[in-house]
């Protein structure tokens, strides 16, 4: 017979073992998510860190990382650009042409599959096929569609609950949703794709439970003739085409807007062109603006401000760290929208001599003469494309891809009435990507102090990284390249500690999660998007890389 003393001893041993297991698998929490096992949001947390506290996979054992499972969506058009969502052992992701899947996250087995019947108009638009993800909440899986809808699916079954038509692509070219709408409590909000067509940028919101329209925020201050003279605001672009973030503490949506249109010809829209190329803070209940920081007034270089806003504490104050396509990073007071600092990520910048780090004023800006060639750095894809960086609270470093490319631009007037559904409203007669003057086109992965921009380490790449970065509590940084190699680095010093060739380049997100005490790394592989075509003249090797679309999961082997 087992004595009470022995039973107590066994229980103590079990509790100690469980405690040791938890401390081994997980890093300290408190970084914005209740359950470190999950990847519940687009950036995992509302602070946009793309950081997983899991540390079962670490620099000491990553050499044991093996493929656990793979899943193919069955369509490879424009590759796989999604960031998967993982909650309670189920992975949700979207493939080309709005194919949505729910999978067992430990085996890859399909639980359900949904594909909407899309309007034939999707075959006529410029932004075809691709989507960057789904959003999960309120028992629903939400998507934004290629034909201008928000749709809610039952999280358990994949059955459609409601569908709300938001835009009409035949009258509003490019007004589709390539990024997943995001949740702000009971509000589901999102902006349409692109700033490169003759449209009016808007952000739309619906009731997340019913799909009933809640509010619409018109990005362009088109009734202000000093900002948008004449009818230029009617076709000024500036869509909010990447996911925003919702800050519950301040009850604020933070979302960036795209370039003004036409992109490179500003003669017909003289003025600051608010609120193009801006970071916005919005009230989620009403859609009213709390503050706006216009990073590039009167943008004539295609410098969107749509990228992620990373939320950090600095000197006791909440700040947002926000990369603009111009190559400058803005450090912004989260409460007021006032500037704390501006620092350059790009090494080659000539569209302006600099930006005042306190006022945001562009110093010595270059306005390109109509009909003449001007070489502008960075180029239209920016110092980095839309693929996101990652912040690790253990190292205090922000890890981001970067590239050094310029473009030759010849601005020219363009009649917006003649821009077809698949056309772009660029305002150029010549636009070609070129190496920096006197140099070569280059690419790298940087580890930097997000507040000052101080470089800790950098890894050179032959082609620009177009995947979103992941960093973890296991002192690791994961990144993918256009040739299909997934790299893992030591987060402290940048030493490569592991790699895997997936066969087709990465354009989507890499995430981490745990099921039944086992940590996984999940990567969206499959090269696509319009970016390779834009960069081919500067990086010829990007042409001809194989396409694909496969979700690949890794875990530790024996």
């Amino acid at each position: 017979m087992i004595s009470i003393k022995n039973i107590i001893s066994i229980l103590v041993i079990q509790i100690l073992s469980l405690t040791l297991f938890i401390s081994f698998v997980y890093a300290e929490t408190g970084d914005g998510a209740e359950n470190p096992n999950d990847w519940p949001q687009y950036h995992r947390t509302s602070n946009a860190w793309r950081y997983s506290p899991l540390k079962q996979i670490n620099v000491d054992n990553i050499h044991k990382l093996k493929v656990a499972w793979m899943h193919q969506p069955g369509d490879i058009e424009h590759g796989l650009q999604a960031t998967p969502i993982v909650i309670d052992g189920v992975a949700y992701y979207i493939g080309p042409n709005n194919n949505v899947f729910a999978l067992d996250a430990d085996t890859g087995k399909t639980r359900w599959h949904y594909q909407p019947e899309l309007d034939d108009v999707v075959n006529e638009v410029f932004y075809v096929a691709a989507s960057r993800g789904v959003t999960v909440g309120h028992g629903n899986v939400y998507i934004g569609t290629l034909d201008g809808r928000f749709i809610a699916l039952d999280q358990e079954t994949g059955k459609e609950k409601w569908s709300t038509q938001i835009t009409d692509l035949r009258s509003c070219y490019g007004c589709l949703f390539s990024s997943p709408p995001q949740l702000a409590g009971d509000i589901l909000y999102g902006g349409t794709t692109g700033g490169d067509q003759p449209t009016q940028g808007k952000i739309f919101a619906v009731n997340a439970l019913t799909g009933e329209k809640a509010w619409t925020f018109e990005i362009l201050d088109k009734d202000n003739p000093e900002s948008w003279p004449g009818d230029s605001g009617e076709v000024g672009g500036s869509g909010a085409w990447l996911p925003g973030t919702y800050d519950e503490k301040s009850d604020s949506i933070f979302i960036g807007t795209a370039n003004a249109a036409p992109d490179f010809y500003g003669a017909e829209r003289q003025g600051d062109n608010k609120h193009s190329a801006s970071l916005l803070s919005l009230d989620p209940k009403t859609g009213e603006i709390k503050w706006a920081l216009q990073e590039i007034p009167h943008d004539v270089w295609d410098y969107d401000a749509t990228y992620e806003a990373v939320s950090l504490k600095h000197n006791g104050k909440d700040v947002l760290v926000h990369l603009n396509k111009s190559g400058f990073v803005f450090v912004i007071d989260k409460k007021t929208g006032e500037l704390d600092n501006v620092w350059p990520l790009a090494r080659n910048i000539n569209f302006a001599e600099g930006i005042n780090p306190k006022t945001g004023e562009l110093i010595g800006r270059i306005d390109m003469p109509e009909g003449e060639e001007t070489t502008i750095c960075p180029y239209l894809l920016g110092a980095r494309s839309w693929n996101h960086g990652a912040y690790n609270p253990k190292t205090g470093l922000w890890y981001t891809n970067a590239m050094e490319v310029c473009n030759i631009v010849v601005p020219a007037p363009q009649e917006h009435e003649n821009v077809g559904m698949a056309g772009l409203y660029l305002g150029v007669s010549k636009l070609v990507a070129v190496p920096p003057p006197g140099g070569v086109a280059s690419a790298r992965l940087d580890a930097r102090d997000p507040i000052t921009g101080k470089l800790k380490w950098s890894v050179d790449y032959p082609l620009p990284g177009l995947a979103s970065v992941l960093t973890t509590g296991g002192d690791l940084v994961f990144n993918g390249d256009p040739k299909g190699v997934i790299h893992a680095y030591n987060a402290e010093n940048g030493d490569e500690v592991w790699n895997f060739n997936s066969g087709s380049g990465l354009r989507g997100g890499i995430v981490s999660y745990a099921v039944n005490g086992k940590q996984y790394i999940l990567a969206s592989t499959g090269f696509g998007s319009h970016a390779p075509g834009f960069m081919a003249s500067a990086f010829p090797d990007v042409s001809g890389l194989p396409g694909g679309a496969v979700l690949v999961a890794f875990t530790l082997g024996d």
Side-chain angles (χ1 to χ4, degrees):
M1 178 178 292
I2 300 176
S3 66
I4 297 296
K5 183 178 180 180
N6 288 338
I7 292 174
I8 292 174
S9 298
I10 291 170
L11 288 173
V12 169
I13 291 171
Q14 289 176 337
I15 291 170
L16 286 173
S17 298
L18 179 60
T19 301
L20 287 171
F21 172 76
I22 291 172
S23 66
F24 173 68
V25 176
Y26 305 132
E28 57 274 13
T29 56
D31 45 76
E34 295 180 0
N35 188 349
N37 294 327
D38 292 344
W39 192 282
Q41 300 180 36
Y42 183 76
H43 296 297
R44 186 176 174 270
T45 48
S46 60
N47 51 29
W49 288 0
R50 287 195 169 248
Y51 167 75
S52 169
L54 299 176
K55 61 178 183 178
Q56 187 181 72
I57 299 168
N58 54 61
V59 291
D60 295 322
N61 62 17
I62 194 170
H63 62 279
K64 296 181 180 180
L65 206 61
K66 305 292 183 183
V67 173
W69 54 263
M70 297 186 295
H71 188 272
Q72 299 182 359
D75 186 339
I76 69 170
E77 189 176 5
H78 273 273
L80 197 57
Q81 301 182 37
T83 292
I85 301 297
V86 187
I87 299 175
D88 294 334
V90 181
Y92 307 88
Y93 85 103
I94 193 166
N97 295 299
N98 294 150
N99 278 277
V100 186
F101 297 89
L103 315 173
D104 288 335
D106 55 347
T107 66
K109 181 181 178 181
T110 300
R111 289 191 168 205
W112 54 256
H113 169 222
Y114 167 86
Q115 185 173 22
E117 292 186 11
L118 297 172
D119 190 300
D120 289 341
V121 72
V122 302
N123 300 313
E124 303 175 45
V125 299
F126 178 78
Y127 307 101
V128 298
S131 180
R132 298 182 183 93
V134 303
T135 293
V136 181
H138 300 301
N140 297 327
V141 176
Y142 299 100
I143 65 171
T145 69
L146 298 170
D147 59 1
R149 289 180 285 162
F150 288 168
I151 295 178
L153 309 175
D154 185 280
Q155 187 175 347
E156 292 296 323
T157 66
K159 301 296 184 183
E160 188 175 302
K161 285 188 175 180
W162 55 256
S163 173
T164 301
Q165 190 73 48
I166 306 293
T167 62
D168 177 8
L169 271 66
R170 289 180 174 82
S171 61
C172 183
Y173 302 163
C175 292
L176 53 87
F177 298 98
S178 60
S179 289
Q182 299 297 296
L183 285 168
D186 291 342
I187 288 292
L188 184 74
Y189 69 93
T192 53
T193 290
D196 309 322
Q197 292 187 294
T199 62
Q200 297 178 40
K202 298 179 182 180
I203 299 167
F204 303 92
V206 302
N207 183 304
L209 305 180
T210 65
E212 182 181 358
K213 293 180 180 179
W215 50 260
T216 299
F217 176 77
E218 295 193 0
I219 294 170
L220 306 184
D221 189 14
K222 57 186 177 62
D223 294 327
N224 180 349
E226 293 183 358
S227 185
W228 291 97
D231 63 354
S232 60
E234 302 293 328
V235 290
S238 313
W241 52 275
L242 280 174
T245 54
Y246 170 63
D247 181 63
E248 186 174 8
K249 182 180 178 181
S250 63
D251 194 28
S252 301
I253 291 169
F254 300 109
I255 189 167
T257 69
N259 57 278
D263 299 31
F264 299 97
Y265 187 75
E268 294 176 359
R269 52 174 174 84
Q270 291 293 338
D272 55 14
N273 305 144
K274 285 187 174 63
H275 293 287
S276 65
S278 301
L279 185 64
L280 308 177
S281 174
L282 302 179
D283 185 312
K285 296 181 179 63
T286 64
E288 294 179 358
I289 194 166
K290 294 185 174 183
W291 56 254
L293 176 68
Q294 189 172 40
E295 295 173 347
I296 309 293
H298 189 62
D299 173 24
V300 291
W301 309 286
D302 194 2
Y303 290 155
D304 304 51
T306 52
Y307 296 173
E308 72 274 15
V310 181
S311 180
L312 301 171
K313 281 278 190 184
H314 177 60
N315 291 336
K317 184 167 64 174
D318 292 324
V319 298
L320 299 173
V321 177
H322 189 240
L323 170 64
N324 183 280
K325 214 198 277 188
S326 66
F328 283 101
V329 176
F330 294 76
V331 183
I332 305 161
D333 187 301
K334 190 174 181 178
K335 183 177 181 180
T336 65
E338 296 176 349
L339 274 178
D340 272 18
N341 192 27
V342 180
W343 56 267
L345 171 66
R347 297 169 183 163
N348 294 273
I349 297 175
N350 73 356
F351 78 95
E353 295 175 10
I355 296 181
N356 186 305
K358 295 303 178 184
T359 67
E361 179 187 2
L362 270 62
I363 302 168
R365 61 181 287 155
I366 294 176
D367 289 311
M368 301 170 291
E370 180 181 337
E372 297 181 19
E373 288 190 1
T374 305
T375 300
I376 294 294
C377 311
Y379 76 147
L380 78 166
L381 292 186
R384 191 198 75 195
S385 187
W386 61 260
N387 46 297
H388 314 285
Y391 172 77
N392 191 314
K394 295 176 67 178
T395 64
L397 297 173
W398 184 53
Y399 308 92
T400 183
N401 285 286
M403 52 185 161
E404 301 296 327
V405 192
C406 307
N407 43 219
I408 296 174
V409 182
V410 178
Q414 184 178 5
E415 297 294 332
H416 65 80
E417 297 89 349
N418 297 327
V419 176
M421 188 175 294
L424 297 180
Y425 190 39
L426 300 179
V428 292
S429 60
K430 181 178 181 179
L431 178 63
V432 59
V434 295
V440 296
S442 63
R444 64 189 187 275
L445 174 69
D446 281 356
R448 292 181 179 266
D449 181 306
I451 304 299
T452 67
K454 182 179 179 180
L455 182 67
K456 177 69 177 292
W457 56 257
S458 188
V459 176
D460 290 336
Y461 278 61
L463 295 172
L466 296 176
S468 294
V469 183
L470 164 71
T471 186
T472 73
D475 301 315
L476 293 167
V477 176
F478 291 86
N479 194 34
D481 69 33
K483 292 187 177 181
V485 180
I486 305 168
H487 305 266
Y489 303 97
N490 184 312
E492 289 284 355
N493 57 34
D495 289 346
E496 186 165 354
V497 292
W498 176 86
N499 63 66
F500 177 86
N501 191 340
S502 69
S504 180
L506 279 78
R507 190 66 172 112
I510 307 173
V511 307
S512 187
Y513 60 91
V515 180
N516 297 325
K518 182 177 287 190
Q519 183 184 355
Y520 295 82
I521 305 296
L522 186 60
S524 298
T525 75
F527 205 43
S529 82
H530 291 294
F534 284 122
M535 66 174 58
S537 58
F539 294 99
D541 289 348
V542 80
S543 299
L545 290 176
V550 182
L551 202 62
V552 185
F554 302 89
T555 194
L556 293 174
D558 297 331

